[in-house]
Amino acid sequence: VLRNGIDQEKFNICISEVEKEELQKKYNIQKNEKVLIFTGRVVPEKGVKELLESLKKVKSTNYKLLVVGSALNDIKTKTQYQLDVESIIKTLRDKVVFTGFVKYADIAKLYKIADVAVLPSIWDDPAPLTVIESLACGLPIITTESGGIPEYAMSGAAFLLKRDHNLIENLAKSIDELIGNEKKCKEMSEISFELSKKLTIDNYCDNFAKLLGCEKK
């Protein structure tokens, strides 16, 4: 097994209070609101609809969900699925902000204004980089037991949910639990950041070389 890695320097960043306030203003986030973030393609396999449906069952009210991404990267053409997602978002009023496509260089700043990453993949996701990025930013994660995700978002850093008929209900319960428990969030955040230290590009290259039987020079 050769685990993925990312450029930690792109995500292990600090943003100023001014930058944070500007982003909060841009996305209409109130200071008392907990920020949930979904990053990725807006496609069926990523579970975006399931996440939005779960918000209808969330009891907490002081939150905002950022849906960061689009169906076709920076191509402006919208799929029917994306249009369906936007239609659901309208019914949730001011609880969801759909950012559309965001350049990769700007993603880290959005992670940094978030409190929890919600990545409910419903297919056998091999090893989504969004999970590793969330770990690198020290975010508690709500995700699923799909594909390679449990090899990265391990217990302690994430709530790993089954992809069954209870998924929407369990997403809502997990969101409520983390929104209302700062101590739990802090504990998970610390574990996330520690896990991410092994998921670097340098480690990826070193491990790749070892698998090939090469000596590091």
Side-chain angles (χ1 to χ4, degrees), residues 101-160:
F101 176 77
V102 174
K103 291 181 180 178
Y104 192 65
D106 299 327
I107 290 287
K109 290 183 178 180
L110 296 184
Y111 280 120
K112 285 300 180 178
I113 65 168
D115 298 288
V116 178
V118 191
L119 307 165
S121 190
I122 59 173
W123 71 304
D124 287 325
D125 220 326
L129 294 182
T130 53
V131 169
I132 305 175
E133 293 163 2
S134 298
L135 292 171
C137 290
L139 290 177
I141 302 171
I142 300 171
T143 186
T144 55
E145 295 178 342
S146 66
I149 289 177
E151 297 181 33
Y152 296 85
M154 298 176 186
S155 178
F159 289 168
L160 291 164

Side-chain angles (χ1 to χ4, degrees), residues 83-101:
L83 292 172
D84 292 344
V85 163
E86 291 178 6
S87 179
I88 298 172
I89 287 174
K90 288 177 182 177
T91 69
L92 294 165
R93 298 184 181 179
D94 63 341
K95 288 301 173 189
V96 183
V97 175
F98 181 51
T99 69
F101 176 77

